[in-house]
Amino acid sequence: MEDLAGIAVELYALVPSAFTAARSARAKDAKSSGDKELAQQITRLPKPSTSAWAVNLLVRNRAKEFAGVLELGTALAAATEQQDAERLRTLGQQRPRVLAAAVEQARNAAEGQGVKVSGAAAMEVEATLRAAMSDPGAAGAVRSGRLVRALSTDGIEAVDLTDAVAVPDSLMEPLPVPSIATPAELPDDGGRQRVGAEQEREREKEREKARAALAEAERTAEEADVELAKAEREKDEAMRRGERLAADVKAAKDKLAALQQELASTEWAVTVAERNRRVAARQADRGHREAEMARRRVAGLG
């Protein structure tokens, strides 16, 4: 008979977009096999958040990076118990780099499967790894590969694992905190030198990254300056064109006003001319009638 925890690990290995369909298929298979209870348990398995899925992917496919997180966590716990201030300071300086590298590996692994991890999700991945680093229970939950949601810690209280892991009853035992190293077990001077050299290499890598980031930022700034200059030229040209058009519009309006005035004057002249024509027509008609009467009178005298 199939084990629910094993099925959960298989399902949580899938990309989030494939989870629901695969869960339904596994539940259907279990039901077809006559195990209705298992089918119901599979159906109740929650879909993981993107950040939880990315952490599961890191544990499964980038075990070395995850192991580095846990190893640093146990070293910090040991240094804290031993009250080794210098060791705590050194490990504390390493912690941001270790977490950042693990988060980057999780994002790369996710993108390798076509899933983009947003900035917010990446922050949740880091918070989960930080919780696993500081709390053995959280470490066991993350190590199960069945994480459902992100974890967080305040560094004081135990990490809340409520509804954080699918099939929590089958979780592995929490990772043991290693015994504190005795002075004889600490690195000798040669070991310290190697550690120092390794730290210097890490710092050089960080400096290289910083220089590359600076070069990229300067290139981006130069491109932005070019685009700004282009935009300002286009703005100036548009403003000049607008001023020319505004002048043309004003001239056209002035000409239109003059033409409208001239048209009004012409229409009035037409009205006056028509009135004068009518008066002249009446006078001409009267003159014609008087001339006709005179001709008749002359004819009658002859």
Side-chain angles (χ1 to χ4, degrees), residues 81-188:
E81 186 174 340
Q82 194 178 22
Q83 297 183 356
D84 187 340
E86 183 178 354
R87 181 67 172 156
L88 281 171
R89 184 167 53 254
T90 300
L91 294 174
Q93 292 172 348
Q94 293 178 9
R95 177 164 49 192
R97 294 197 299 271
V98 171
L99 287 172
V103 171
E104 186 65 20
Q105 286 295 325
R107 297 185 81 167
N108 290 341
E111 290 178 3
Q113 296 199 24
V115 178
K116 182 174 178 58
V117 177
S118 67
M123 291 176 64
E124 291 184 347
V125 170
E126 180 176 344
T128 300
L129 295 176
R130 189 180 295 273
M133 179 183 288
S134 62
D135 185 285
V142 172
R143 189 172 53 187
S144 72
R146 302 192 302 274
L147 204 63
V148 173
R149 65 169 176 82
L151 305 179
S152 62
T153 180
D154 59 6
I156 301 174
E157 301 292 334
V159 175
D160 181 12
L161 299 178
T162 305
D163 298 328
V165 184
V167 201
D169 294 340
S170 62
L171 277 179
M172 298 169 57
E173 289 297 322
L175 293 177
V177 177
S179 59
I180 300 172
T182 64
E185 295 173 320
L186 294 175
D188 56 18

Side-chain angles (χ1 to χ4, degrees), residues 128-289:
T128 300
L129 295 176
R130 189 180 295 273
M133 179 183 288
S134 62
D135 185 285
V142 172
R143 189 172 53 187
S144 72
R146 302 192 302 274
L147 204 63
V148 173
R149 65 169 176 82
L151 305 179
S152 62
T153 180
D154 59 6
I156 301 174
E157 301 292 334
V159 175
D160 181 12
L161 299 178
T162 305
D163 298 328
V165 184
V167 201
D169 294 340
S170 62
L171 277 179
M172 298 169 57
E173 289 297 322
L175 293 177
V177 177
S179 59
I180 300 172
T182 64
E185 295 173 320
L186 294 175
D188 56 18
D189 289 342
R192 293 175 190 269
Q193 292 174 0
R194 286 193 295 275
V195 171
E198 179 63 27
Q199 291 177 346
E200 179 57 31
R201 284 194 293 272
E202 289 296 326
R203 284 193 292 270
E204 182 57 30
K205 289 181 181 178
E206 292 297 322
R207 285 192 290 268
E208 284 294 332
K209 289 182 180 179
R211 286 193 287 266
L214 174 61
E216 178 65 18
E218 289 176 341
R219 185 184 64 79
T220 302
E222 290 174 355
E223 292 177 351
D225 288 340
V226 171
E227 290 299 320
L228 174 60
K230 179 182 177 182
E232 288 178 342
R233 288 196 302 272
E234 291 175 348
K235 175 189 172 183
D236 292 341
E237 183 180 348
M239 289 181 64
R240 288 193 296 271
R241 186 167 60 252
E243 290 171 354
R244 289 196 301 270
L245 290 174
D248 291 343
V249 169
K250 184 179 183 305
K253 286 182 177 179
D254 292 342
K255 184 175 181 179
L256 175 62
L259 290 173
Q260 287 176 333
Q261 184 176 0
E262 184 178 351
L263 175 62
S265 298
T266 301
E267 288 175 343
W268 174 248
V270 170
T271 299
V272 171
E274 176 62 19
R275 184 182 59 189
N276 291 338
R277 186 193 67 79
R278 290 176 182 175
V279 170
R282 286 194 296 271
Q283 290 176 345
D285 184 65
R286 185 167 57 250
H288 286 304
R289 288 197 300 274

